[in-house]
Amino acid sequence: MSEKREQWGSKFGMLMAAAGSAIGLGNIWRFPYITGKYGGAVFVLTYLIVVCLIGLSLMMAEQAIGRAGKSDAVGSLLKLGGKKWSIVGWMGFIVAFIILSYYAVIAGWTLAYFCASVDVFGSLLQGAAQGKAADLFGSFVANQYYCIAFLLTVMFVTATIVYRGIAKGVEASCKILMPTLFVILLMLVVRAVTLPGASKGISFYLKPDFAKLTAEGILAAIGQAFYSLSLAMGIMIVYGSYFTEDTSIPRSACTISLLDTSVAFLAGLVIFPSALAFGIEPNAGVALTFITLPSVFAQMPAGMLFSAGFFMLLFIAALTSCISLFEVAVAFGIDHLGFERKKSTVVMAILITLLGIPSALSVGGHFPKICGMDCLDFFDYVTNNLIMPIGGILLTIFAGWVWTEGAKAELTNHGKYDFKLYKVWLFICRIVAPIAIFVILAADIYGKFFKK
């Protein structure tokens, strides 16, 4: 390592940064539309149970590995488990690197839609009111210059923040961005639940109908919990490596999971009342965000403010995730390539941006398909549906079966704290989590390649 290991400047800053890494686009748009697809309130209840059982346990394991290893994902697992386990760290680094390359593209879309909401680049709501929301989105992603320009903007902002370091860059920015996100989100919730006809959406979201609970819905809840908490991406290992020795890992993991889940829950209180108040079903995936919701905003009083607030909310959520994903790459450059932070930031920003250009071009048809998928969709499938689940299984096995005593020492701060649920945590890491994640992986592969 060419630099002394940085640390978080304060516990609040650490929590805001770690929560920001977990809170992303998946909380704001993916959680609500999956909730709509799998039965509403019953899915929410299932999701909460899964977060408590699996998500928390894996997050604690990753943070413990990071603090003990005092390095990035590769270095920490190399130090604690040797060469063969460092492969899991490499998987986390590769996932973060690839995900950021296309995630920054989507973050650029949210920034563009914020600008369009306030008429900077054209009236989004005027076109949506005329029933042209789908055409507007199609023309935007087809404009290769716009897509690349917004990708460059997002990467520049992300790199500028990370360039300043952990305390002055990542932590300082998240201390501002995360409270801002919650303020905007709460304002949108108040506006949504007071719309005429909003009660239908609130009822659908908060009153469970257990007849709608399905095996597919349970698998979806496990997958959403796993991905929304930024697990198996190397993020929590890197952030854990910046923890001070007096930080309680179980407490920090619980707080981060609570904040992450709160944002997802509140996002549902924005989208369901808004959509159902205007007779629109909120289960349309990406189209929900960039096509359906602008049409909803266009029908609202003061719709421009609502639209601008929503897309700024999305952009902040995306930016905080971009920062954490980028920190994984920068930490790798510092710990393994001997770079200083500033050099690592510049080099990794250039490489990730270059990798992101095919994704920026592919959605508009300006780049060849890979295995029948747009480049962005291909990268998303490989990382989220293949590498991450495999990495998650291996991480739980490492923490639960191989590095057991080391994990216990970190979770109890070497005996300073009494972690009463240690045996429960160990059972989940050894049995519950690997089996659950494997089932997701197997079901996805079966559905993708074998189901007719």
Side-chain angles (χ1 to χ4, degrees), residues 337-372:
L337 303 180
F339 293 162
E340 294 183 348
R341 171 169 287 274
K342 293 180 179 179
K343 181 178 179 180
S344 184
T345 299
V346 173
V347 170
M348 292 299 174
I350 292 172
L351 293 176
I352 291 170
T353 302
L354 290 174
L355 184 61
I357 289 175
S359 293
L361 298 177
S362 66
V363 181
H366 300 292
F367 196 85
K369 290 183 180 294
I370 304 174
C371 299

Side-chain angles (χ1 to χ4, degrees), residues 162-173:
V162 175
Y163 185 90
R164 292 175 55 82
I166 290 300
K168 293 182 180 179
V170 176
E171 181 178 342
S173 63

Side-chain angles (χ1 to χ4, degrees), residues 123-141:
S123 177
L124 171 65
L125 298 191
Q126 183 179 351
Q130 297 170 358
K132 299 179 180 178
D135 294 335
L136 289 172
F137 180 68
S139 63
F140 171 73
V141 296

Side-chain angles (χ1 to χ4, degrees), residues 113-114 117 124-125 294 297 302-312:
Y113 264 57
F114 166 74
S117 296
L124 171 65
L125 298 191
F297 300 148
M304 185 185 80
L305 295 176
F306 199 87
S307 180
F310 179 78
F311 285 109
M312 177 51 65

Side-chain angles (χ1 to χ4, degrees), residues 46-318:
T46 305
Y47 171 79
L48 292 175
I49 293 172
V50 170
V51 167
C52 292
L53 285 179
I54 298 176
L56 266 174
S57 296
L58 187 49
M59 183 180 290
M60 283 188 271
E62 289 197 42
Q63 290 178 352
I65 290 168
R67 186 166 69 180
K70 286 290 184 289
S71 184
D72 71 309
V74 178
S76 291
L77 282 155
L78 178 64
K79 178 181 177 180
L80 302 177
K83 255 185 188 178
K84 62 181 179 181
W85 286 103
S86 70
I87 295 172
V88 184
W90 278 102
M91 292 170 70
F93 165 72
I94 291 168
V95 163
F97 195 95
I98 295 176
I99 287 181
L100 180 55
S101 73
Y102 70 80
Y103 197 89
V105 173
I106 303 173
W109 297 352
T110 66
L111 180 59
Y113 264 57
F114 166 74
C115 295
S117 296
V118 294
D119 293 338
V120 175
F121 293 107
S123 177
L124 171 65
L125 298 191
Q126 183 179 351
Q130 297 170 358
K132 299 179 180 178
D135 294 335
L136 289 172
F137 180 68
S139 63
F140 171 73
V141 296
N143 189 318
Q144 51 193 318
Y145 304 106
Y146 267 11
C147 288
I148 291 177
F150 279 103
L151 164 64
L152 291 173
T153 301
V154 170
M155 285 305 303
F156 177 78
V157 173
T158 302
T160 299
I161 291 170
V162 175
Y163 185 90
R164 292 175 55 82
I166 290 300
K168 293 182 180 179
V170 176
E171 181 178 342
S173 63
C174 289
K175 279 182 177 180
I176 298 171
L177 291 172
M178 291 309 298
T180 302
L181 181 147
F182 274 97
V183 169
I184 295 174
L185 185 55
L186 288 172
M187 290 172 63
L188 293 177
V189 168
V190 171
R191 181 69 188 93
V193 299
T194 54
L195 286 169
S199 59
K200 182 179 179 182
I202 296 173
S203 177
F204 175 80
Y205 190 48
L206 298 182
K207 291 184 179 179
D209 180 357
F210 290 97
K212 296 180 179 179
L213 181 63
T214 64
E216 187 179 355
I218 294 173
L219 287 177
I222 296 172
Q224 174 65 18
F226 185 74
Y227 303 135
S228 73
L229 292 173
S230 295
L231 304 175
M233 299 181 190
I235 293 173
M236 290 301 162
I237 294 178
V238 172
Y239 276 21
S241 75
Y242 302 132
F243 279 10
T244 58
E245 292 302 323
D246 64 340
T247 299
S248 169
I249 288 176
R251 190 177 302 160
S252 71
C254 288
T255 304
I256 293 162
S257 299
L258 178 61
L259 291 171
D260 177 78
T261 304
S262 297
V263 169
F265 179 77
L266 291 172
L269 282 179
V270 174
I271 290 175
F272 285 106
S274 300
L276 293 180
F278 292 96
I280 297 173
E281 292 299 320
N283 58 358
V286 176
L288 172 67
T289 301
F290 296 103
I291 298 174
T292 305
L293 286 179
S295 301
V296 172
F297 300 148
Q299 301 176 59
M300 290 183 178
M304 185 185 80
L305 295 176
F306 199 87
S307 180
F310 179 78
F311 285 109
M312 177 51 65
L313 172 71
L314 277 181
F315 176 67
I316 292 173

